[in-house]
Amino acid sequence: MSGYGAAVKPQKVLIAGDVRGEFGALFSKVVAAHEKHGPFACVFCVGDFLGAGADPATSLRPYIAGEKRAPITTYLLNARPDCAAVRELLTGCPSGEIAKDIVLLAGSALTVLCGLMVAYDARPPSPPPTHAGPTRPGEDEEGFGETEELDAAFARRGYAGVDLLLTGEWPRGVCAGLDGAAREQAATALALARAGSNGSADSADAQRVAVELDAFGTRRAARLAAAARPRYHFAGGASAAWARAPYSNYGDCGLPRSNGDGVGAGAGVGSSGAPDALSASQAGTTTPSHVTRFVSLAPVADPLGRKWLHALNLVPMARMERAKLSEVPAGTTACPYAHDQRPLPHAQAHLDALAPTLAPLPIVASPAGVPSGGFGPPPQLLPPNPTRPHGPPQPWAQPPL
């Protein structure tokens, strides 16, 4: 037994793009994947799960009535929190379980799902502040939603990151630091998404999108991505199939830079706000933190045949050896997120006041015979909150060995 990775069984999960009411197509493919590559513990759906129409919840009603059942536990990220149909679904369902094995993730939380540490954000944008200046974390001219609980959890001492971050929006600036070819691929993916089912996006369309590339998405999603330091960040809403090259969480995006303790300065964000280049000595080796992979998925049953279902086979990061977790694959870039996407400095007093209310998770002991080399105890969970529709977070449980 060489370490956590050898002792703990990986967790197999699926992630799907915008469902838009196509639950039949979603579950058919989930069953096929489950039989061929499973078993999978659950499927996470990001983006719009209802779609348009006079009664957007029509496709869900057979499941709510018990006439049909999801093949595995299905988590729906509520990317339309202001939708009347969503509010109706949540009526009388404080736990968020709107049907057997179908759970609606509303609000924002840091919790344990399917054996993995998961952070998600599905809050609606707040109205623009009416006071002279922003005073709360995540509140500025865009009218960010209330994510101060997540901000405080991410700021806790000993916090190391999460396995998954799920957002209903792309993070602004995620393409920063990429080379011209990678940026062109991202622009083409977004242009195809904007073209819709006709799939007629030419180079001119891609060029127009490329001009707006660094302004696409929201600062709230970028700020959460920088603070959460996820291993994987899945975002819905854009209807684009694209995966970014991994980026390092070492430097200004994650761990502080060295101040003479013998550790290299690492990559981060320069004074201009643009990412520094990841040094050749870091790429392909290890750093004191892990990398993040950002993935955007096409809508379910996409007529253009783009990828809309992603499978993961992950050992929970809390059970991994630090050296294995912090490996840096070739092609890794610096963190793309600039300083102005971090929690607002003047909100630190508010975060400091909120942080003590978070309930710590118990430290899980190392498996017998394994030296203490893991990434530390799981991060802090948010306390139970009766106003949060998804219910209280689950207590940490060691995944089955």
Side-chain angles (χ1 to χ4, degrees):
M1 186 180 300
S2 61
Y4 289 120
V8 179
K9 183 179 179 180
Q11 302 298 298
K12 303 183 74 170
V13 299
L14 295 166
I15 300 91
D18 302 71
V19 180
R20 295 180 180 173
E22 296 286 350
F23 286 98
L26 169 68
F27 291 141
S28 292
K29 192 158 185 174
V30 165
V31 167
H34 194 67
E35 293 175 349
K36 187 174 182 179
H37 304 291
F40 290 95
C42 64
V43 55
F44 296 99
C45 302
V46 295
D48 180 8
F49 67 90
L50 286 179
D55 183 6
T58 298
S59 58
L60 266 178
R61 298 200 186 283
Y63 298 93
I64 296 172
E67 300 167 5
K68 295 181 179 181
R69 182 173 173 179
I72 63 175
T73 302
T74 302
Y75 293 101
L76 306 175
L77 185 70
N78 180 16
R80 295 174 59 187
D82 292 334
C83 176
V86 172
R87 292 197 297 270
E88 179 186 345
L89 290 174
L90 285 172
T91 301
C93 299
S95 68
E97 188 170 9
I98 57 178
K100 181 65 176 178
D101 294 327
I102 299 180
V103 180
L104 187 58
L105 301 178
S108 58
L110 170 64
T111 188
V112 180
L113 298 172
C114 302
L116 300 174
M117 190 63 68
V118 180
Y120 63 84
D121 178 44
R123 290 188 183 273
S126 298
T130 56
H131 44 75
T135 59
R136 304 176 68 186
E139 182 180 87
D140 71 357
E141 66 276 10
E142 283 193 352
F144 291 160
E146 298 175 357
T147 59
E148 54 268 80
E149 285 182 328
L150 280 179
D151 289 329
F154 298 152
R156 289 296 292 268
R157 183 176 181 180
Y159 175 81
V162 293
D163 294 299
L164 302 179
L165 173 64
L166 311 175
T167 63
E169 304 156 322
W170 268 38
R172 182 173 298 186
V174 70
C175 295
L178 295 175
D179 60 26
R183 290 176 64 86
E184 183 178 351
Q185 291 173 358
T188 300
L190 288 171
L192 280 172
R194 290 184 179 183
S197 59
N198 59 29
S200 58
D202 55 23
S203 58
D205 295 323
Q207 289 174 1
R208 282 192 290 271
V209 173
V211 174
E212 309 168 0
L213 201 56
D214 290 328
F216 184 79
T218 68
R219 283 195 292 272
R220 177 169 78 173
R223 181 173 54 81
L224 290 175
R229 304 200 295 278
R231 295 166 71 190
Y232 283 87
H233 179 183
F234 290 91
S239 302
W242 180 70
R244 190 197 190 282
Y247 65 81
S248 174
N249 284 289
Y250 183 55
D252 286 347
C253 189
L255 299 180
R257 293 189 178 194
S258 168
N259 55 2
D261 59 0
V263 180
V269 180
S271 58
S272 65
D276 301 330
L278 195 67
S279 68
S281 62
Q282 286 180 306
T285 58
T286 63
T287 64
S289 190
H290 56 278
V291 301
T292 293
R293 292 171 171 85
F294 172 79
V295 181
S296 175
L297 297 168
V300 170
D302 179 55
L304 303 181
R306 296 171 299 169
K307 181 177 180 178
W308 55 266
L309 189 66
H310 190 101
L312 287 179
N313 188 30
L314 286 181
V315 172
M317 66 181 297
R319 315 267 38 93
M320 292 182 69
E321 290 182 343
R322 182 185 295 271
K324 183 67 175 178
L325 180 64
S326 58
E327 289 178 350
V328 180
T332 297
T333 75
C335 177
Y337 304 120
H339 286 292
D340 62 357
Q341 293 163 336
R342 311 299 171 76
L344 302 177
H346 57 266
Q348 192 59 51
H350 180 83
L351 295 181
D352 291 342
L354 181 63
T357 68
L358 302 183
L361 287 169
I363 297 177
V364 181
S366 302
V370 178
S372 178
F375 208 72
Q380 314 297 316
L381 289 187
L382 300 182
N385 184 342
T387 64
R388 189 179 296 114
H390 62 267
Q394 306 172 21
W396 173 262
Q398 182 173 335
L401 301 179

